[in-house]
Amino acid sequence: MDVVQPNDLEQAFCVARRRHAELCRQNQIFNARNRILGGDTKTWDIQVCDRKIKEATEKARHETFAAELRHNDKMMCILENRERRGRRHLCKALHDFQQSFQKPELRREFDLSDPLARRREFPARQGDNDARNTVSGMQRFMGEDLNFHARQRFQQEQNREWFLQQQRERKKARADQKRAEDLYTEARLQFDQTAQDLQHRERATRRAVSAAVKQFNKTQASELAERKSLEKKQEQEDDLAHISNLLRGDLLSEDPQQAVSSFGPHRVVPDRWKGMSQAQLGHIRLVQQQQMQEKLRLQEEERQRDADWDRQRVERARAEVLCERQQRRQQRDLRRALDGSNRSLAAEQLRQRNYMKEVCTNHATDDYFTQFNTRSR
């Protein structure tokens, strides 16, 4: 059963409080309606009825509250009993845990104050598999264990059982080998007899099959000869009928009308057409001659047009060459004029540089300074 939490009780209390507030609001509405209606008899009857209804509602509400209170009291009792039972179980579990896992003899320092420590001690050697018998203790050596004699007797018994078991297995193997050889010999004899019977049956079957094949071949040869004669006769009759049809038909008569198609006079049936007539061939040759002349005329016009284009292209190239030569001549004249002006400027700059060098290198003498000294002495 789930434990009721305090939040659940608080939520139930809030629901009950909201329900009580709703009932109080309905009571106020009933009182206001009674004040509005006044002293009418019918109205009073209605008020009495409403009063009874209100009393019944109040009674039902009180009963609901009482039932809810009883339910809450019962829940509180159950919760108290559950809490008391849980505490008792917890104390019991704690006591059991202490009795099981926290005994005095399980403490770390119990061996220091144990009164029965000497009585519980083991002797120096309890057995061959004692964990206290370490190598440094030298309590057990090879062949000096306590079970040496019993182990020796067990080994002797085991060796005797192994020897007897090997003898039984050897006898059984010999018996099995002899039985297998007997079965193999019997099976070989049976297989040989069966092979002989099958060989006799195969020979008889082959003889019967050979006879049946020979008879079938004779029948097939006779049927083939008869069928070939009938086919040859039918082929000769078909050839004669075909020759007569060709001689009497329109195919070898070369009638041009039999090749005319039903789709128009300009179309023919390919398997009946024997070729064109001389008039048709002459018309075709005439049309071909006209087409050849027209093609030659077009080629001549194209040649004249190409020649005109070539002449115009050559003239345009010649004009471009002359214009380029004129530009080069003008550029050469301009370059010569520019070179002349550059040479004149270079000579002028050279004269100025020489003059400045001469002025700067001449040292002033006393006579040079005396000409400026005009003060009276």
Side-chain angles (χ1 to χ4, degrees):
M1 187 174 183
D2 297 337
V3 179
V4 179
Q5 300 294 333
N7 294 330
D8 299 335
L9 297 176
E10 185 177 357
Q11 186 176 3
F13 178 73
C14 293
V15 172
R17 187 171 56 186
R18 285 196 299 269
R19 190 178 301 167
H20 178 69
E22 181 66 21
L23 293 176
C24 292
R25 188 179 62 82
Q26 292 179 2
N27 188 13
Q28 291 176 1
I29 292 172
F30 290 154
N31 294 333
R33 188 175 62 180
N34 293 331
R35 286 194 300 270
I36 292 171
L37 291 177
D40 192 1
T41 306
K42 188 179 293 185
T43 302
W44 280 107
D45 295 337
I46 294 172
Q47 289 180 358
V48 170
C49 184
D50 292 341
R51 182 67 178 177
K52 291 181 180 180
I53 292 171
K54 184 174 68 173
E55 291 177 356
T57 305
E58 289 290 335
K59 185 177 180 181
R61 184 168 61 84
H62 289 304
E63 290 178 356
T64 303
F65 284 159
E68 189 173 357
L69 288 174
R70 286 194 299 273
H71 177 70
N72 292 333
D73 293 339
K74 187 181 294 184
M75 291 296 297
M76 289 298 295
C77 293
I78 293 172
L79 291 175
E80 289 179 358
N81 293 330
R82 182 181 299 172
E83 185 179 2
R84 191 180 302 108
R85 190 166 52 253
R87 290 178 181 176
R88 186 168 58 253
H89 289 327
L90 181 60
C91 293
K92 183 179 180 181
L94 182 60
H95 184 265
D96 294 339
F97 179 80
Q98 291 176 353
Q99 291 294 326
S100 300
F101 301 101
Q102 293 183 354
K103 295 180 179 179
E105 57 270 14
L106 296 178
R107 297 175 184 176
R108 291 183 296 178
E109 64 277 6
F110 180 73
D111 57 343
L112 300 177
S113 60
D114 188 8
L116 303 177
R118 293 297 180 182
R119 295 182 181 180
R120 295 176 182 176
E121 287 183 355
F122 295 102
R125 182 178 179 182
Q126 288 184 346
D128 296 332
N129 297 324
D130 194 354
R132 297 175 301 167
N133 294 336
T134 58
V135 177
S136 60
M138 293 188 295
Q139 294 292 327
R140 182 170 62 88
F141 298 95
M142 185 66 67
E144 296 182 0
D145 53 331
L146 299 178
N147 298 327
F148 173 72
H149 300 287
R151 187 179 70 254
Q152 189 176 10
R153 287 194 300 271
F154 177 75
Q155 289 177 354
Q156 291 175 359
E157 291 292 334
Q158 190 175 15
N159 291 330
R160 189 173 63 81
E161 290 292 334
W162 286 351
F163 181 72
L164 294 176
Q165 184 177 2
Q166 289 177 0
Q167 289 181 351
R168 288 194 297 269
E169 290 178 355
R170 190 178 297 108
K171 290 180 181 180
K172 184 178 179 182
R174 291 176 182 175
D176 293 340
Q177 184 178 2
K178 184 178 180 180
R179 185 168 56 257
E181 290 177 356
D182 296 340
L183 292 174
Y184 177 74
T185 304
E186 185 179 356
R188 286 296 302 273
L189 293 175
Q190 188 176 0
F191 288 158
D192 293 340
Q193 185 65 31
T194 305
Q196 290 179 0
D197 295 340
L198 290 175
Q199 190 174 6
H200 292 315
R201 292 180 185 178
E202 184 178 1
R203 290 176 182 175
T205 305
R206 285 182 179 179
R207 286 194 295 270
V209 169
S210 299
V213 169
K214 186 176 181 180
Q215 184 66 27
F216 179 75
N217 289 333
K218 288 181 180 180
T219 305
Q220 289 291 104
S222 61
E223 291 180 357
L224 181 62
E226 184 178 359
R227 186 167 61 253
K228 284 184 178 180
S229 62
L230 292 176
E231 289 178 355
K232 186 175 181 182
K233 184 177 179 181
Q234 183 66 29
E235 186 177 358
Q236 291 177 356
E237 291 178 356
D238 293 339
D239 292 340
L240 292 174
H242 182 65
I243 291 170
S244 62
N245 290 330
L246 290 176
L247 292 174
R248 295 175 184 177
D250 295 333
L251 182 61
L252 299 178
S253 63
E254 296 185 358
D255 186 9
Q257 296 297 327
Q258 56 92 22
V260 177
S261 177
S262 60
F263 294 102
H266 63 284
R267 303 183 65 175
V268 295
V269 181
D271 58 346
R272 300 178 185 176
W273 188 55
K274 297 300 181 179
M276 294 184 292
S277 62
Q278 294 296 328
Q280 293 176 349
L281 292 174
H283 179 69
I284 290 173
R285 292 191 185 96
L286 179 61
V287 173
Q288 289 178 352
Q289 290 292 334
Q290 292 177 359
Q291 291 178 355
M292 291 171 64
Q293 293 176 2
E294 181 67 22
K295 186 175 181 180
L296 291 173
R297 186 181 62 80
L298 293 175
Q299 290 178 356
E300 183 65 24
E301 291 179 357
E302 186 176 0
R303 188 178 63 78
Q304 291 292 336
R305 187 167 55 252
D306 293 340
D308 294 338
W309 280 107
D310 292 338
R311 186 175 61 257
Q312 292 178 7
R313 187 168 58 254
V314 170
E315 291 177 356
R316 191 180 298 108
R318 187 182 294 111
E320 289 178 357
V321 171
L322 292 175
C323 182
E324 187 177 356
R325 289 179 180 176
Q326 182 67 22
Q327 290 179 359
R328 289 179 181 176
R329 192 180 297 110
Q330 291 177 0
Q331 290 178 0
R332 187 167 54 253
D333 295 340
L334 291 174
R335 192 180 298 109
R336 287 177 181 176
L338 183 61
D339 292 340
S341 63
N342 289 335
R343 282 195 297 272
S344 61
L345 290 173
E348 182 68 24
Q349 289 178 0
L350 182 60
R351 286 195 300 271
Q352 290 180 1
R353 192 179 296 110
N354 293 332
Y355 174 75
M356 293 299 296
K357 185 184 294 183
E358 183 179 358
V359 172
C360 293
T361 54
N362 290 334
H363 298 284
T365 60
D366 296 337
D367 297 335
Y368 177 76
F369 291 108
T370 56
Q371 63 181 348
F372 300 104
N373 190 3
T374 59
R375 190 181 64 176
S376 61
R377 296 181 181 178

